């Protein structure tokens, strides 16, 4: 048992290196990392799924997969768009649905053994957050005008002397959204996949040492060590199920926060 723990601790210390960005191939002076490859795969998969589903739309869906896509789109339209943004939400549904489906599909792809999720790379989540940030700033200025949007950062009814302070705090809160959106998604996806990697490594370590002990004639200790790997397997299954839920939750959180920011920009209080 002690040998298995030592092997596990030693290997776990290097697990982060498995998630570092590495160049897969180069195009001239530009290196293409594995995360870019998986981002393109997620992009192609998202485009294909949505286009195929759109072509097979029926009043009463007979295809369960198409029905699921339609249900998720309706969920984004109603619960994310209409409920959060309110009046005029329809024009923003395409962006919200695109963000939701791309993040969800990227997260699900990352759950396939051997695959990587693009959202586990901070460069990808930064790009998504910048898109969201520019979008709601643009619509805030388009609807209210530049000066009107700038003034709207300070809520109505704030006492005069407190106005500049509240305005500055709201400005800082608005600017930092691009950071919080990126880090929240990246941190959750990276942490979850690292936990899955740790549990997988624990199973491998305990099985390897257990087999070595059995081969060396230490039967009882070897069987106990391999038996312990079943506990790690159970934990891995539980965490995998949890990460399936997290894959959906993080797509929902990112899209609903974007909707909230859009709603606040176009309907200032």
């Amino acid at each position: 048992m002690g040998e298995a723990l030592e092997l596990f601790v030693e290997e776990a210390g290097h697990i982060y290196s498995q998630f570092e960005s590495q160049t897969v191939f180069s195009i001239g002076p530009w290196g293409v990392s594995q995360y870019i490859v998986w981002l393109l795969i997620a992009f192609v998969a998202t485009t294909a799924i949505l286009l195929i589903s759109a072509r097979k739309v029926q009043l009463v869906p007979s295809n369960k997969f198409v029905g699921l896509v339609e249900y998720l789109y309706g969920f984004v339209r109603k619960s994310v768009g209409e409920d959060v943004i309110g009046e005029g939400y329809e024009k923003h549904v395409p962006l919200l649905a695109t963000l939701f489906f791309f993040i969800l599909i990227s997260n699900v792809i990352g759950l396939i053994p051997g695959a990587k999720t693009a959202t586990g790379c901070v460069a990808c989540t930064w790009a998504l957050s910048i898109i969201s940030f520019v979008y709601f700033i643009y619509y805030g200025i388009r609807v209210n005008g530049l000066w009107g949007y700038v003034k709207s950062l300070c809520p109505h009814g704030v006492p005069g002397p407190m106005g500049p302070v509240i305005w500055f705090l709201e400005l800082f809160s608005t600017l930092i959204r691009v950071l919080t959106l990126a880090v929240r998604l990246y941190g959750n996806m990276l942490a979850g996949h690292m936990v899955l990697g740790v549990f997988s490594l624990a199973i491998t370590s305990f099985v390897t040492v257990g087999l070595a002990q059995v081969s060396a004639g230490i039967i009882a200790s070897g069987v106990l060590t391999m038996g312990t790997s079943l506990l790690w397997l159970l934990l891995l299954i539980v965490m995998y199920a949890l990460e399936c839920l997290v894959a959906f939750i993080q797509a929902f959180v990112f899209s609903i926060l974007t909707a909230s920011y859009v709603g606040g920009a176009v309907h200032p209080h």
Side-chain angles (χ1 to χ4, degrees):
M1 187 76 72
E3 294 178 16
L5 284 173
E6 289 178 4
L7 177 61
F8 167 57
V9 171
E10 180 183 351
E11 294 294 331
H14 306 290
I15 194 169
Y16 180 73
S17 61
Q18 300 178 17
F19 296 90
E20 291 181 332
S21 181
Q22 300 175 354
T23 300
V24 178
F25 61 90
S26 297
I27 302 177
W30 297 284
V32 178
S33 71
Q34 77 272 35
Y35 287 108
I36 295 178
V37 173
W38 288 108
L39 183 148
L40 293 174
I41 291 173
F43 168 75
V44 172
T46 303
T47 304
I49 288 172
L50 295 182
L51 289 179
I52 292 172
S53 299
R55 291 181 61 184
K56 297 184 178 180
V57 171
Q58 298 175 332
L59 185 61
V60 180
S62 57
N63 185 295
K64 292 183 179 180
F65 181 77
V66 174
L68 175 61
V69 174
E70 287 187 38
Y71 172 79
L72 290 175
Y73 176 80
F75 171 78
V76 173
R77 181 182 176 85
K78 177 68 171 65
S79 299
V80 178
E82 183 178 2
D83 291 351
V84 178
I85 298 176
E87 183 181 355
Y89 75 94
E90 295 90 349
K91 68 178 67 175
H92 308 294
V93 171
L95 174 76
L96 298 175
T98 300
L99 289 173
F100 176 82
F101 279 103
F102 175 77
I103 294 173
L104 177 62
I105 291 171
S106 295
N107 294 349
V108 170
I109 287 175
L111 293 172
I112 301 173
K116 298 288 185 183
T117 174
T119 50
C121 175
V122 72
C124 174
T125 59
W126 263 109
L128 292 172
S129 66
I130 289 173
I131 291 172
S132 173
F133 180 81
V134 171
Y135 185 88
F136 79 78
I137 292 292
Y138 167 75
Y139 267 96
I141 295 174
R142 178 177 176 178
V143 172
N144 303 290
L146 177 59
W147 180 239
Y149 179 68
V150 170
K151 289 194 301 181
S152 71
L153 294 178
C154 182
H156 295 298
V158 175
M162 291 296 296
V165 177
I166 299 300
W167 182 88
F168 177 79
L169 292 176
E170 287 296 323
L171 175 64
F172 178 76
S173 173
T174 299
L175 294 177
I176 205 173
R177 287 172 183 173
V178 69
L179 172 64
T180 56
L181 276 174
V183 173
R184 181 186 291 107
L185 178 58
Y186 163 70
N188 278 282
M189 299 315 302
L190 177 64
H193 284 77
M194 286 188 69
V195 170
L196 292 178
V198 167
F199 286 160
S200 299
L201 193 58
I203 295 171
T204 303
S205 299
F206 276 74
V207 169
T208 299
V209 172
L211 289 173
Q213 290 174 336
V214 170
S215 299
I218 314 174
I219 307 297
S221 179
V223 171
L224 178 61
T225 300
M226 286 190 292
T228 305
S229 66
L230 296 177
L231 176 60
W232 290 110
L233 177 60
L234 177 61
L235 291 173
L236 176 62
I237 293 173
V238 171
M239 281 302 304
Y240 194 88
L242 181 60
E243 280 302 302
C244 290
L245 179 61
V246 169
F248 171 82
I249 290 175
Q250 289 305 313
F252 172 68
V253 168
F254 195 99
S255 57
I256 201 170
L257 284 175
T258 299
S260 175
Y261 298 154
V262 171
V266 299
H267 303 305
H269 299 290

